[in-house]
Amino acid sequence: MTTPLLAIDRLSKTYTTGSSILSSGRTVIKAVDAVSFTIDYGETLGLVGESGCGKSTLGRCVTRLLDVTSGTITLAGTDITHQRGASLRETRADLQMIFQDPYASLNPRRRVRDIVAEPLIVHHRGNHRAVRAAVTGLIADVGLRPEHLDRFPHEFSGGQRQRVGIARALALSPKLIIADEPVSALDVSVQAQIINLLTDLKRTRNIAMLFIAHDLGVVRQIADRVAVMYLGTIIELGATEQVLTSPAHPYTEALISAVPTATPVAGRRRITLAGDPPSPSNPPGGCPFHPRCGYATEVCKTTKPSLAVQPDGRLTACFHPRPV
Ligand code: ADP
Ligand code: MG
């Protein structure tokens, strides 16, 4: 067996918020709770789940923008969980992030040319001329034109700004890109263009991706496998086709039925997710999904199901998985 590019093992991240005038005592939020998965070289893993389930926290732990509470992160065979200083800087070149809001993540006072050049300069990738040539190439690769180089972020549309963010993320030829809801802030027509661009780039450059989204429709095209997250844990993980066409976990089933489709699948009932997800500071006992689940029985209230292999190889954490 070959080593995967990324291996996350029982990664947990707990936030502790201080007491305030309105609440006494500290609140502990298990934003990510013992999550494990791998990503192979060149593979895209989609990570989906409702807002607040811990996707961004997980992504930020993987890129080491946040320190983990426990667990390990291994990149290309190296344990990067507690890296600091020069070794962390080296790792960062292999591990880039694309954010939901490219406007907030691009310095408004710098021209596109300098924004895209910055990582190359910081990491000493060539002289002035080489950097200039690399930036021109990157801008073309993401579908922008040379005249865009001298503009400022505010002169662009949302989709164009996200292209700049992608060019910057590509500059150091990373092995893995963490894309945190890169299209959620964009119009639907523009979403498709950016997903097409990322799909092309992953193919031509063999870059692996952790592609975070809050709905399954967005990951359908780009992800090789999909992990579904609920209240800090992964509740289903399998090949995109498997998970999207025959979800085994009732939560995945509900998420899919919420995605509008042009051709409704015969026999599939539309399931609505009642209520908001429970608070991660006070998660329900047993299966975290049981209070919202139409199939829940007694065991679901008392025992937390662990991820188990289903007949088709996918992993599902449920006592009553749908037949696959
Ligand atoms: P998602 O990206 O899936 O919407 P997040 O990772 O942003 O989820 O948040 C997961 C949980 O952690 C949420 O309940 C959120 O309120 C909480 N959280 C996120 N960041 C912080 C923080 N800096 N301090 C305290 N709680 C946080
Ligand atoms: Mg988020």
Side-chain angles (χ1 to χ4, degrees), residues 11 16 46-47 62 68 103 107 198 234 264:
L11 191 142
T16 309
L47 179 68
V62 172
V68 308
Y103 199 53
N107 186 335
L198 288 170
I234 287 179

Side-chain angles (χ1 to χ4, degrees), residues 264-296:
V265 179
R268 174 163 294 161
R269 62 201 173 98
R270 203 173 161 82
I271 305 159
T272 42
L273 274 171
D276 289 330
S279 161
S281 63
N282 186 21
C287 171
F289 187 57
H290 89 259
R292 300 167 86 192
C293 182
Y295 308 102

